[in-house]
Amino acid sequence: MKEHYDVVVIGAGPGGYVAAIRAAQLGLDVAVVEEAELGGVCLNWGCIPTKALLRNAEVVSLLDEGKTFGFSVEGVEIDFGAAIDRSRKVSQRLVKGVSFLMRKNDIDVVEGAGTLSTAHTVEVALNDGETQTLKAKNVIIATGARARTIPGIEIDGERVMTYRQAIVLRDLPESVVVVGAGPIGMEFAHVWSSYGADVTVVEMMSRILPLEEPDVSQQVARAFRRRKVNMMTDARVEAIEVGSDGAQLTISGEKGEQTLEAERVLVAIGVQPNSQGMGLEEVGVENDRGHILIDDHMRTNVRDSEGAIYAIGDVTGKLALAHVASAQGIVAAETIAGAETKTLDYEAMPRCTYCQPQVASFGITQAEAEERGHEVKIGQFPFRANGKALGLGNYDGFVKIVADAGSGEILGAHLVGPEVTELLPELVLARTWELTPEEITRAVHAHPTLSESLAEAAHAVFSEAIQA
Ligand SMILES: Cc1cc2nc3c(=O)[nH]c(=O)nc-3n(C[C@H](O)[C@H](O)[C@H](O)COP(=O)(O)OP(=O)(O)OC[C@H]3O[C@@H](n4cnc5c(N)ncnc54)[C@H](O)[C@@H]3O)c2cc1C
């Protein structure tokens, strides 16, 4: 292990480990400091284990569709704990993969907590109790974020949980209140309700998935209501009282105050940055309420002739998404190496929620486009007019493209329905390389595929959809 590096990365989540690999590919000497698990929240507690659970939920949900597909099942035993076990295995497999990638790229992994003592010195409190000093021309802070909590409400990890406890909870709760109807809350609500738990979602805003296009929120709300998920919007959790066998929540809303009781509560109201207590203030790194401030190349304000301190991922508070962290990591590494890079358009970043129906979007909504003064053209195509979706028996939802009427620029895309998280990248690619809806229609889409709905929505921008 060396003492002097071109780059020391603090944190090995999808931001940090990807930045490290890209820097190593570009010929730099790299070390990564990680106090917990390689892969960070994403691989261990977030993206990956939730997606494994959602697959289990999908399989279990099919058991309710015997009438549609012509089967009946009796005496089936469903083991929720086994779903959790499978999700842990999937996570562990990927984490091992990251460890392999570190070795393959000659990246030194230092197991411990990193603190900056100067702009070029990282002190590591090693997990084995020792300390180690690493010198670096450049430091990339990729320390991520943790669950945000409600002031005055204690997370006991038992009755009142964050995702950290929920993701390893092997006993299916009989009843659960999910506080927050963003992607994390909706995904857990979907998993538990698919297994038969009595789920209530409480959202402070006027609709679930409040950052999505309103029609998308409506479509998902309809599907959740059909599955008997209780959804309370314009509702705020005021207090939670924990008893021996459950929790009682006081909720205020349009109808005044009411109480809810449940075996468990999941608080899923967003994340807060991990930036305290690691020397950032001492070395003068600027932040805004804990989010480290960066420029387009992920540089903080601390720079000199030798190098700079960079920050990427959730700790920067841009978009708390794994692929954004990774994309920022690549830009940071390329900037450090002096290689060609492309700055990020945060508005074009894909945002996905993997409940059923799935939700995928980027860019701005129709209303936001109009507020910004665009004359917009909308192309919308329903999956019920798509042969593949009908064959799958999964045809709720639509593709909506928001385009500027004059230039044809794709301002936003809003998808809800089957496998839309896999369909979105085509539209992201179009937006990134400034293709217009007309150009999308000229790419021939295979038949029958769900992707034909993208071409149809692009045709619909000119009121020329063929199949609807
Ligand atoms: C339940 C859930 C589901 C999610 N699903 C998705 C999804 O489907 N798609 C998606 O894009 N995003 C998803 N996310 C968000 C995603 O997990 C994060 O955006 C992503 O992990 C951020 O990556 P990061 O590298 O910035 O930080 P993290 O993944 O948080 O990694 C930071 C790492 O830094 C380490 N660290 C912190 N401080 C120090 C220190 N001082 N010294 C050493 N190490 C330190 C931590 O131990 C951690 O391993 C989900 C999140 C949750 C909670």
Side-chain angles (χ1 to χ4, degrees):
M1 197 159 286
K2 307 164 199 84
E3 274 184 2
H4 286 79
Y5 291 91
D6 295 315
V7 187
V8 169
V9 184
I10 308 180
Y17 87 75
V18 169
I21 291 172
R22 187 71 189 120
Q25 284 173 344
L26 293 166
L28 302 176
D29 274 335
V30 186
V32 173
V33 182
E34 171 56 58
E35 65 180 350
E37 306 86 5
L38 292 177
V41 170
C42 175
L43 269 58
N44 294 281
W45 316 105
C47 329
I48 296 302
T50 49
K51 266 72 262 175
L53 288 180
L54 284 154
R55 168 66 178 147
N56 276 67
E58 190 183 336
V59 172
V60 166
S61 298
L62 271 180
L63 296 175
D64 293 333
E65 293 194 51
K67 221 170 155 190
T68 307
F69 292 105
F71 64 85
S72 65
V73 279
E74 273 162 39
V76 179
E77 277 181 33
I78 294 174
D79 180 357
F80 183 68
I84 297 287
D85 296 345
R86 193 179 80 82
S87 77
R88 298 321 303 158
K89 279 191 195 136
V90 173
S91 279
Q92 283 154 14
R93 187 170 170 166
L94 272 183
V95 170
K96 270 194 198 147
V98 175
S99 178
F100 163 78
L101 291 173
M102 296 295 102
R103 287 195 303 278
K104 180 185 158 199
N105 287 285
D106 275 332
I107 296 165
D108 290 337
V109 176
V110 184
E111 294 177 4
T115 308
L116 282 162
S117 58
T118 74
H120 300 287
T121 316
V122 178
E123 302 290 350
V124 187
L126 297 170
N127 291 349
D128 65 9
E130 301 289 310
T131 54
Q132 188 172 347
T133 302
L134 304 172
K135 291 276 183 193
K137 287 184 188 156
N138 301 278
V139 175
I140 302 179
I141 300 162
T143 48
R146 61 194 182 282
R148 194 152 74 80
T149 51
I150 306 171
I153 289 177
E154 195 203 336
I155 304 289
D156 66 3
E158 179 67 25
R159 296 288 161 207
V160 186
M161 313 176 288
T162 70
Y163 65 85
R164 277 302 277 260
Q165 294 87 36
I167 198 69
V168 288
L169 183 70
R170 292 187 82 262
D171 297 325
L172 178 69
E174 225 165 81
S175 57
V176 56
V177 174
V178 175
V179 184
I184 294 176
M186 292 303 283
E187 289 182 5
F188 275 105
H190 176 68
V191 169
W192 285 323
S193 63
S194 301
Y195 274 85
D198 177 2
V199 180
T200 300
V201 177
V202 179
E203 169 57 52
M204 207 169 74
M205 308 295 276
S206 59
R207 56 194 170 88
I208 59 158
L209 295 175
L211 300 181
E212 299 295 344
E213 182 74 51
D215 317 356
V216 168
S217 299
Q218 255 181 33
Q219 186 86 42
V220 177
R222 264 202 300 276
F224 271 55
R225 245 179 252 120
R226 270 204 303 271
R227 280 209 315 276
K228 310 266 185 295
V229 176
N230 178 24
M231 276 162 300
M232 297 171 68
T233 50
D234 287 316
R236 177 194 283 269
V237 175
E238 301 293 350
I240 303 179
E241 215 167 286
V242 171
S244 57
D245 54 358
Q248 193 178 63
L249 297 91
T250 308
I251 316 277
S252 66
E254 281 173 340
K255 294 182 199 147
E257 225 165 59
Q258 48 180 313
T259 49
L260 283 180
E261 288 189 2
E263 189 189 313
R264 311 252 186 192
V265 179
L266 170 68
V267 176
I269 59 164
V271 293
Q272 52 184 329
N274 294 328
S275 57
Q276 264 88 47
M278 50 177 302
L280 296 181
E281 268 154 33
E282 288 78 353
V283 298
V285 176
E286 283 174 0
N287 72 83
D288 175 16
R289 282 162 293 171
H291 290 130
I292 298 178
L293 298 176
I294 50 169
D295 68 9
D296 281 354
H297 287 82
M298 317 305 152
R299 282 178 296 230
T300 69
N301 59 307
V302 177
R303 337 168 171 180
D304 57 27
S305 55
E306 209 188 331
I309 299 179
Y310 292 70
I312 57 172
D314 283 9
V315 76
T316 66
K318 293 289 183 192
L319 280 170
L321 292 168
H323 44 275
V324 176
S326 301
Q328 289 180 310
I330 287 172
V331 173
E334 289 172 346
T335 303
I336 292 169
E340 193 182 334
T341 195
K342 186 175 190 314
T343 57
L344 303 179
D345 170 4
Y346 290 103
E347 222 164 70
M349 295 293 139
R351 308 175 291 248
C352 296
T353 305
Y354 299 76
C355 58
Q356 288 297 338
Q358 291 187 351
V359 173
S361 66
F362 69 82
I364 52 178
T365 61
Q366 180 177 353
E368 284 165 343
E370 285 163 357
E371 269 164 33
R372 287 190 197 177
H374 287 279
E375 192 192 324
V376 294
K377 275 195 168 175
I378 302 298
Q380 188 157 336
F381 187 80
F383 281 109
R384 64 171 184 277
N386 173 274
K388 179 71 186 278
L390 289 174
L392 289 172
N394 187 355
Y395 46 83
D396 278 349
F398 55 82
V399 176
K400 176 171 182 173
I401 294 175
V402 180
D404 180 88
S407 65
E409 184 192 355
I410 301 175
L411 302 168
H414 307 277
L415 285 65
V416 55
E419 297 303 328
V420 294
T421 55
E422 301 291 343
L423 296 181
L424 188 70
E426 177 178 335
L427 297 179
V428 174
L429 186 71
R431 154 77 180 238
T432 306
W433 300 107
E434 297 176 6
L435 299 182
T436 62
E438 214 255 313
E439 285 162 319
I440 292 173
T441 66
R442 296 292 168 192
V444 176
H445 290 69
H447 177 74
T449 58
L450 296 171
S451 72
E452 287 174 290
S453 302
L454 303 175
E456 286 286 1
H459 276 299
V461 170
F462 313 101
S463 306
E464 289 174 352
I466 307 287
Q467 309 281 353

